[in-house]
Amino acid sequence: MDLEFNKNEDQFKLLCSELKKNEKNTRKGGGDKKIEGQHRKGKLTARERIDHLTDKGSKFLEVGLFVAHGMYDEYGGCPSGGVVTGVGTVSGRTCVIVANDATVKAGAWFPITAKKNLRAQEIAMENKLPIIYLVDSAGVFLPMQDEIFPDKEHFGRQFRNNARMSSMGIVQIAAIMGSCVAGGAYLPIMSDEAMIVDKTGSIFLAGSYLVKAAIGEDIDNETLGGATTHCEISGVTDNKFPNDQACLDYIRKLMDKIGDNKKAGFSRIKSTPPKKNPKEIFGILPSDRSKPYDTHEIIERLVDNSEFEEYKSLYGQTILCGYARIDGWAVGIVANQRQIVKTKKGEMQMGGVIYSDSADKAARFIMNCNQRKIPLVFLQDVSGFMVGSRAEHGGIIKDGAKMVNAMANSTVPKFTFIIGNSYGAGNYAMCGKAYDPRLIYAWPTAQIAVMSGNAAAQTLLQIRMSTLKSKAQTISDEEKNELLKEITDRYNEQLSPYYAASRLWVDGIIDPLETRFVISTGIEAADHAPIKKFNVGVIQT
């Protein structure tokens, strides 16, 4: 191993160590005291409920762990948006699980909480997966009600999705394991089956205090909307249970009896690990993101037996396309090549930039994968499309449009991993969040923005300087440097993968060694939903 490899490895491992530390802290939710409070009430925490519910030895793929990271500090923060979501296995069935975390503001809904819940429902609908709601929430976070209540993508959208999923034949099971109040009461009751935990679960449109204020009736919450009331008098819930564990065990029995649906039929054979050591990725990916590297070396440490069958290897070389298997599943890989390549005409092409020929190649490859029913994996390390007179005269806009069109109209499931840069329209062409990847995760080395931090800072500085000049104002070199630092620091914060994960631009940040697991879990989920006929739309040739 050379010095450069060791330097890269040390830097990458530091980022992964920071990731593990952040994961551990975030999974504590509201903290140890709040967790103890849950236990004193005889309740499990959201993560303990998921652990009890899912099959022993199975692995839960969390979606949105870092949602709200660094947000809502004025309210004391909201780790994971106050809800735990992801894909797990219950009684051998792949399903989506949504569990309110009552240790975080009593499970109240912040604006980002609604976005995260809708993302979980989206995953269930796209993949035709059963969804299980473990409800324990105080409802809307009132200080921010104007940002969560009335709009299309706000709180009420989940109930619309409840109805839509019911019409699609997607099984929805709900367990009321704590508070369930006001409009939130509709979520479990619009599910196919709703159960409640005695003494700790309650459900009503208005609690006892509001009932007293509204109609003058004196009544306690248990009599108003507890398990006995709703299982024996109103019939709102189906069964009651003495504790969380018994309720979760019943859900497992329900899941055990659900019939199977028609599968998409993606190809899978016996899984084999990569021949090349995946841990070497840490040394291959440069700590200096301006330096080139050979993306083949990354791919060969992700795919089964390190076998990658490349498509048009001598053409459009700044994008690599090819077929492989990951955990036995057949996949088509579209990856940015970071090496500087030399074309047949003797021209040099910068790595990580999309040229006309590479865009054309990728578009054709995407169409091939759709024709053959092969899921697509995008590995992003892209600086954007090529610019300048030669690129414009060569039709870069037209060729880029072809690639975006093919990718956007693709009906096989797409999975995106941002391993380095994700700048500008390159983010779009390589299946960014706006283009409906079934799952999208970032490595700790990811950066997502319109352009690089340095380029953006210099551009913004020039705009600021021009504005000052138009007002006949001057600025010293020292002031200019301070201004540049201020702009750079602010922009670099927004480049961070944590900034993206907190806003759910990506579903999470993962150690590269988790990539195979995410892809395999994603395709396993996607295989539950037969794919529609591919329609590429209008593509100019």
Side-chain angles (χ1 to χ4, degrees):
M1 299 297 176
D2 61 19
L3 186 62
E4 188 69 24
F5 183 98
N6 292 335
K7 179 183 174 183
N8 294 337
E9 184 179 43
D10 289 345
Q11 183 61 34
F12 210 142
K13 285 186 174 180
L14 278 174
L15 292 174
C16 287
S17 176
E18 181 187 12
L19 173 62
K20 296 293 186 290
K21 180 181 176 182
N22 287 332
E23 286 175 342
K24 183 179 179 180
N25 290 336
T26 304
R27 289 194 171 105
K28 286 185 176 181
D32 292 334
K33 287 186 177 179
K34 294 286 186 179
I35 292 171
E36 290 169 9
Q38 282 279 99
H39 292 163
R40 280 196 301 272
K41 294 175 185 176
K43 297 163 67 176
L44 300 175
T45 65
R47 296 181 187 282
E48 288 168 344
R49 287 167 178 164
I50 291 172
D51 187 57
H52 187 94
L53 178 64
T54 51
D55 295 348
K56 301 307 175 194
S58 67
K59 199 170 177 182
F60 180 67
L61 174 60
E62 187 159 354
V63 174
L65 172 64
F66 290 116
V67 159
H69 182 86
M71 297 170 65
Y72 309 124
D73 288 343
E74 66 272 35
Y75 299 112
C78 183
S80 286
V83 63
V84 183
T85 62
V87 178
T89 306
V90 178
S91 297
R93 292 297 302 268
T94 302
C95 60
V96 174
I97 302 172
V98 178
N100 299 114
D101 187 350
T103 70
V104 179
K105 301 293 188 294
W109 285 58
F110 283 69
I112 199 69
T113 314
K115 186 175 182 179
K116 184 172 177 179
N117 275 263
L118 293 176
R119 174 65 177 137
Q121 289 182 321
E122 179 184 47
I123 291 171
M125 288 189 283
E126 284 180 332
N127 298 293
K128 302 289 193 298
L129 294 178
I131 183 167
I132 299 169
Y133 306 102
L134 307 179
V135 183
D136 193 349
S137 171
V140 167
F141 185 64
L142 289 178
M144 303 187 76
Q145 65 85 26
D146 61 317
E147 297 181 46
I148 186 175
F149 171 64
D151 209 347
K152 181 178 178 180
E153 301 299 332
H154 284 178
F155 187 74
R157 186 76 171 183
Q158 65 176 336
F159 312 133
R160 174 261 192 192
N161 286 349
N162 283 144
R164 291 292 300 274
M165 282 191 278
S166 181
S167 71
M168 295 166 66
I170 295 172
V171 174
Q172 299 177 82
I173 297 172
I176 301 157
M177 313 185 85
S179 297
C180 184
V181 300
Y186 288 105
L187 183 143
I189 308 310
M190 290 185 74
S191 298
D192 302 301
E193 192 157 347
M195 50 227 63
I196 187 168
V197 178
D198 197 18
K199 300 297 185 289
T200 55
S202 60
I203 178 170
F204 33 66
L205 294 181
S208 56
Y209 293 133
L210 184 53
V211 167
K212 173 68 173 176
I215 63 173
E217 180 183 4
D218 279 312
I219 188 169
D220 63 88
N221 283 337
E222 184 63 26
T223 305
L224 181 66
T228 299
T229 294
H230 286 310
C231 285
E232 300 180 20
I233 300 173
S234 72
V236 166
T237 52
D238 301 307
N239 289 293
K240 67 176 179 179
F241 299 89
N243 52 48
D244 285 5
Q245 291 89 338
C247 185
L248 296 167
D249 288 341
Y250 182 75
I251 294 174
R252 288 185 54 80
K253 291 176 183 177
L254 290 179
M255 291 293 294
D256 179 55
K257 296 169 180 65
I258 295 175
D260 210 353
N261 294 324
K262 184 179 179 181
K263 297 292 178 69
F266 303 123
S267 171
R268 192 181 199 186
I269 61 174
K270 184 179 178 181
S271 174
T272 56
K275 272 188 178 178
K276 296 186 176 181
N277 187 357
K279 292 182 179 179
E280 291 173 355
I281 289 172
F282 298 129
I284 293 167
L285 201 66
S287 56
D288 180 350
R289 60 185 59 248
S290 66
K291 288 187 176 180
Y293 64 92
D294 186 358
T295 309
H296 289 95
E297 296 297 330
I298 300 291
I299 293 171
E300 288 167 2
R301 285 160 177 81
L302 294 175
V303 301
D304 288 12
N305 212 34
S306 298
E307 293 178 354
F308 178 59
E309 300 154 20
E310 194 166 353
Y311 171 78
K312 287 182 177 286
S313 62
L314 302 178
Y315 177 73
Q317 295 178 70
T318 63
I319 287 184
L320 302 181
C321 299
Y323 306 101
R325 288 189 181 272
I326 292 178
D327 196 27
W329 293 103
V331 295
I333 296 175
V334 181
N336 301 111
Q337 171 60 293
R338 291 296 303 189
Q339 275 192 331
I340 298 171
V341 298
K342 190 174 184 179
T343 68
K344 193 174 181 181
K345 297 178 181 178
E347 299 167 342
M348 302 303 291
Q349 292 186 344
M350 293 185 292
V353 177
I354 302 175
Y355 289 78
S356 285
D357 54 358
S358 50
D360 175 70
K361 177 174 79 171
R364 294 174 187 276
F365 178 73
I366 289 166
M367 289 189 283
N368 285 350
C369 288
N370 274 266
Q371 184 188 50
R372 301 168 193 178
K373 204 189 291 187
I374 300 174
L376 285 160
V377 174
F378 291 83
L379 301 178
Q380 285 197 19
D381 191 351
V382 58
S383 303
F385 284 88
M386 189 57 191
V387 297
S389 60
R390 177 174 290 186
E392 298 293 358
H393 297 170
I396 185 66
I397 296 174
K398 179 183 69 175
D399 290 317
K402 279 195 279 188
M403 180 179 176
V404 171
N405 198 321
M407 182 273 303
N409 282 291
S410 172
T411 54
V412 294
K414 307 185 292 278
F415 303 92
T416 302
F417 297 86
I418 303 171
I419 69 175
N421 302 332
S422 180
Y423 298 151
N427 170 278
Y428 300 160
M430 293 294 293
C431 197
K433 184 64 182 290
Y435 293 85
D436 299 322
R438 296 291 177 97
L439 294 170
I440 176 170
Y441 281 82
W443 288 2
T445 45
Q447 287 191 351
I448 306 167
V450 170
M451 61 183 76
S452 71
N454 182 58
Q458 292 293 341
T459 302
L460 291 169
L461 178 64
Q462 291 303 315
I463 293 170
R464 190 82 66 89
M465 295 285 288
S466 179
T467 302
L468 291 171
K469 187 177 180 180
S470 67
K471 295 178 181 179
Q473 296 179 8
T474 58
I475 183 170
S476 68
D477 288 343
E478 185 180 346
E479 289 172 325
K480 186 166 74 171
N481 289 334
E482 287 179 4
L483 187 57
L484 180 62
K485 184 180 184 304
E486 176 193 330
I487 294 170
T488 302
D489 289 347
R490 185 174 68 251
Y491 199 87
N492 283 342
E493 180 187 349
Q494 295 174 0
L495 284 169
S496 164
Y498 292 97
Y499 191 90
S502 71
R503 288 151 181 81
L504 212 54
W505 300 346
V506 296
D507 291 320
I509 307 169
I510 58 168
D511 184 310
L513 302 181
E514 294 288 300
T515 307
R516 282 171 55 87
F517 163 68
V518 173
I519 294 170
S520 181
T521 302
I523 301 177
E524 173 70 40
D527 199 38
H528 289 75
I531 59 176
K532 296 176 290 185
K533 184 179 179 181
F534 178 60
N535 181 10
V536 77
V538 178
I539 286 190
Q540 293 178 315
T541 57

